[in-house]
Amino acid sequence: MTRLTLAAAFLLPFAVLLATMHPGYPPDDSPETIAACANLGIQHMPGYPAVTLPGRLAVALPVGAPSLRVNVLAAALGGGCAAACAATVMAIAPGPGAPVAGMLAGWMLALSDPAWRDGGCAKGAVYLLNLLCILL
């Protein structure tokens, strides 16, 4: 039941973020983030090396443009945040209703306005990776 709950907590936000993500370069620091990921470069201070390395792996995938690949990474990180939130809720409040409560909490987190905006663009991967590390 736990694996199924975590999979559902990941998949719904990931699907929503994929369907609503920016198709290219939004007017923020996303082009700089994508270029740093593609070339293993350094963004403006503080440089964001923690997201540049997974972004480089995303850019190496043989599907779509680099902007699409890094935007998909942000959507995946949003889904990961939802699953980590669900796991946290289930660990804090165990019981028969814990899977449903965890799943709903994860969905509410990942589909909240700030996380939804960040899950749709490359620059948001920076913030969602930080949130995922905190939740884990």
Side-chain angles (χ1 to χ4, degrees), residues 80-126:
C81 288
C85 179
T88 302
V89 168
M90 288 188 298
I92 290 173
V100 173
M103 203 167 23
L104 291 175
W107 291 346
M108 287 174 29
L109 171 70
L111 300 176
S112 66
D113 186 52
W116 176 75
R117 278 185 281 127
D118 289 340
C121 67
K123 180 63 176 182
V126 173

Side-chain angles (χ1 to χ4, degrees), residues 18 20 34 77 94 117 124 129:
L18 278 180
T20 60
I34 294 165
L77 288 170
R117 278 185 281 127
L129 181 62

Side-chain angles (χ1 to χ4, degrees), residues 41-134:
I42 298 173
Q43 301 177 49
H44 66 277
M45 293 306 236
Y48 308 116
V51 80
T52 301
L53 294 176
R56 178 65 183 124
L57 291 175
V59 168
L61 295 173
V63 176
S67 59
L68 173 74
R69 298 175 205 165
V70 180
N71 288 344
V72 169
L73 171 67
L77 288 170
C81 288
C85 179
T88 302
V89 168
M90 288 188 298
I92 290 173
V100 173
M103 203 167 23
L104 291 175
W107 291 346
M108 287 174 29
L109 171 70
L111 300 176
S112 66
D113 186 52
W116 176 75
R117 278 185 281 127
D118 289 340
C121 67
K123 180 63 176 182
V126 173
Y127 308 116
L128 291 173
L129 181 62
N130 288 338
L131 179 59
L132 182 60
C133 290
I134 289 168

Side-chain angles (χ1 to χ4, degrees), residues 5-65:
T5 301
L6 295 179
F10 172 84
L11 288 174
L12 177 76
F14 181 61
V16 169
L17 292 171
L18 278 180
T20 60
M21 76 179 178
H22 201 282
Y25 302 106
D28 58 5
D29 291 339
S30 288
E32 183 181 15
T33 302
I34 294 165
C37 292
N39 300 317
L40 285 180
I42 298 173
Q43 301 177 49
H44 66 277
M45 293 306 236
Y48 308 116
V51 80
T52 301
L53 294 176
R56 178 65 183 124
L57 291 175
V59 168
L61 295 173
V63 176

